[in-house]
Amino acid sequence: MSKITEKPHIPQHCFEYQMTSSKNLDYRILIATPTEEPPPKGYAVIYALDGYALFQTLAEAVKLQTRKPKGYDPILVVGIGYPSKEPFDMERRCRDFTMQVDRAALPERPGGRPWPPNGEADQFLDFLELELMPTIAKEWPIDPARQLIVGHSLGGLLTLHALFTRPHLFTHYASGSPSVWWGNNEVLKELERFKALWQGEEQRHLLLTIGAEELEDMLKGAEEVAQGLSPLVDKGLHLEWIKFTGEDHVSVLPAMLSRLPRFVWSNKGIT
């Protein structure tokens, strides 16, 4: 069984815990709690991958955009980080955010360095589905119709993988600058299988973003995802596709994160 330990003193309404998974993997869970009472159906929740990179910016965006009297309804923010507390822990994120593929399908890394252990995206999604999300649901009243996962780069890849293989897990998916290239575009094959099985019985929302100044292969990958999903638009899948002018792979992060409060509380994405 997973367990949560430690509750160090950090800013009011924000908490940080260590959570040990059933696979004996340690995570640092960062939580920003709303100051308002929950809506009748519970809080919307945003789960942010690479917690030490995304959490603070996202928590501030949520804090500002949910201020009353005109703000959105309250949102619980959950960041998923690692014990290293690095913004992007390459060893752990490569393991957690990538699908299992043939090593021959991976590009050569700079300097010929070997790839870190990888391909455990499904085990990570098991952790979210069976351990972290139930733990959150026990502590706070949540709205099951407004559950969002957001990731950037390899995290954006994981977000797409989650949508295409476990569309039941979240209602809203935000994929920023996804690493579509992983495993010779393995996620595009998942997209095709997803399309073939999609019935549109339950609405799902995808926010897909990228910086207009990113590398050509990144731009192409995101565009292929948007184009591939276009037949499902207005058939239960609501797509919001944004290319941020003047932004690169890192500078695009605040722009993408600032869209999330509106996105999770919208009834339909911009198509």
Side-chain angles (χ1 to χ4, degrees):
M1 293 292 293
S2 58
K3 59 181 183 296
I4 287 181
T5 59
E6 292 184 44
K7 186 175 178 181
H9 175 72
I10 57 177
Q12 189 178 17
H13 306 305
C14 289
F15 306 91
E16 181 175 341
Y17 300 91
Q18 178 165 303
M19 184 170 186
T20 302
S21 76
S22 61
K23 301 295 185 182
N24 205 32
L25 295 172
D26 289 335
Y27 293 90
R28 300 296 298 183
I29 307 301
L30 303 96
I31 299 175
T33 61
T35 57
E36 302 88 355
E37 291 296 314
K41 294 184 179 180
Y43 291 124
V45 184
I46 300 178
Y47 291 89
L49 307 177
D50 291 316
Y52 286 101
L54 275 59
F55 177 79
Q56 288 189 3
T57 301
L58 176 57
E60 283 300 311
V62 165
K63 178 181 177 181
L64 292 174
Q65 293 183 43
T66 56
R67 295 181 67 213
K68 295 296 180 278
K70 295 184 178 181
Y72 298 107
D73 282 340
I75 300 168
L76 180 70
V77 179
V78 180
I80 306 165
Y82 299 109
S84 69
K85 299 189 178 183
E86 290 293 326
F88 297 102
D89 185 321
M90 187 58 187
E91 295 283 328
R92 290 293 303 273
R93 71 199 302 264
C94 193
R95 175 178 184 164
D96 282 348
F97 300 165
T98 62
M99 303 87 80
Q100 194 170 51
V101 296
D102 192 316
R103 288 190 177 274
L106 298 179
E108 185 175 340
R109 297 186 74 198
R113 291 175 296 158
W115 281 93
N118 54 76
E120 296 191 9
D122 289 321
Q123 291 90 325
F124 178 69
L125 290 179
D126 285 343
F127 164 69
L128 297 186
E129 182 170 9
L130 303 176
E131 302 182 59
L132 178 58
M133 295 175 73
T135 298
I136 297 299
K138 286 179 181 178
E139 295 293 333
W140 291 275
I142 65 166
D143 183 352
R146 300 190 187 275
Q147 300 292 295
L148 186 154
I149 184 171
V150 57
H152 172 73
S153 197
L154 284 178
L157 172 70
L158 186 281
T159 299
L160 292 178
H161 175 67
L163 172 61
F164 297 155
T165 64
R166 304 193 194 195
H168 65 278
L169 193 51
F170 300 93
T171 55
H172 295 67
Y173 298 75
S175 176
S177 307
S179 299
V180 175
W181 52 265
W182 177 263
N184 286 335
N185 301 324
E186 178 66 24
V187 76
L188 296 181
K189 301 172 188 175
E190 294 184 345
L191 185 156
E192 292 303 315
R193 293 191 288 269
F194 172 73
K195 285 167 61 177
L197 296 172
W198 180 251
Q199 299 295 319
E201 296 172 351
E202 294 183 347
Q203 293 193 356
R204 290 295 177 264
H205 304 254
L206 172 63
L207 173 63
L208 178 65
T209 69
I210 199 164
E213 303 303 316
E214 297 199 38
L215 296 175
E216 285 299 320
D217 64 329
M218 296 292 292
L219 289 162
K220 180 182 177 183
E223 288 166 354
E224 288 180 325
V225 171
Q227 291 169 5
L229 289 173
S230 60
L232 304 186
V233 170
D234 285 335
K235 295 180 180 178
L237 181 72
H238 304 297
L239 172 65
E240 185 172 350
W241 162 225
I242 305 175
K243 187 184 296 184
F244 290 102
T245 302
E247 305 296 350
D248 61 28
H249 191 62
V250 176
S251 69
V252 73
L253 271 169
M256 182 266 287
L257 294 172
S258 72
R259 293 297 200 280
L260 297 186
R262 179 188 61 79
F263 179 62
V264 77
W265 278 114
S266 66
N267 292 322
K268 184 175 179 180
I270 298 172
T271 61

